[in-house]
């Protein structure tokens, strides 16, 4: 069974075209992911963000635990 990353936590402030998408510690949902030679690019939506944004695993986001009810 393969487990895919479904949520990430911002490790620094994330901005997109001058708009603040997330503050450190905020958790976002991964909508899509793409593998590159130097890591993963993730399309993420954060609760208070005006739009989804591209984040890089290890650079501005880290894996966050996904809780099940």
């Amino acid at each position: 069974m393969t487990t895919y990353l479904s949520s990430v936590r911002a490790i620094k402030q994330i901005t997109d075209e001058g708009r603040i998408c997330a503050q450190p510690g905020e958790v976002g949902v991964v909508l899509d992911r793409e593998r590159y030679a130097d890591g993963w690019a993730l399309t993420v939506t954060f609760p208070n963000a005006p739009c989804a944004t591209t984040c890089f695993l290890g650079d501005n986001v880290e894996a966050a635990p996904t809780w099940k009810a």
Side-chain angles (χ1 to χ4, degrees), residues 8 20-23 25-29 44-51:
V8 291
I20 297 173
C21 294
Q23 295 291 343
E26 289 185 10
V27 175
V29 176
V44 181
T45 184
F46 290 94
N48 297 317
C51 60

Side-chain angles (χ1 to χ4, degrees), residues 15 23-24 36 39 45-46 54-55:
T15 59
Q23 295 291 343
Y36 289 94
T45 184
F46 290 94
T54 300
C55 298

Side-chain angles (χ1 to χ4, degrees), residues 1-68:
M1 176 186 227
T2 303
T3 303
Y4 295 105
L5 195 62
S6 60
S7 60
V8 291
R9 180 179 298 114
I11 54 178
K12 60 184 177 183
Q13 185 180 60
I14 298 171
T15 59
D16 188 352
E17 296 182 4
R19 298 175 293 191
I20 297 173
C21 294
Q23 295 291 343
E26 289 185 10
V27 175
V29 176
V30 177
L31 303 176
D32 194 20
R33 65 193 180 288
E34 189 168 340
R35 176 87 170 140
Y36 289 94
D38 58 349
W40 287 95
L42 310 170
T43 302
V44 181
T45 184
F46 290 94
N48 297 317
C51 60
T53 189
T54 300
C55 298
F56 297 94
L57 190 61
D59 181 35
N60 48 10
V61 295
E62 64 185 3
T66 302
W67 302 99
K68 293 184 178 179

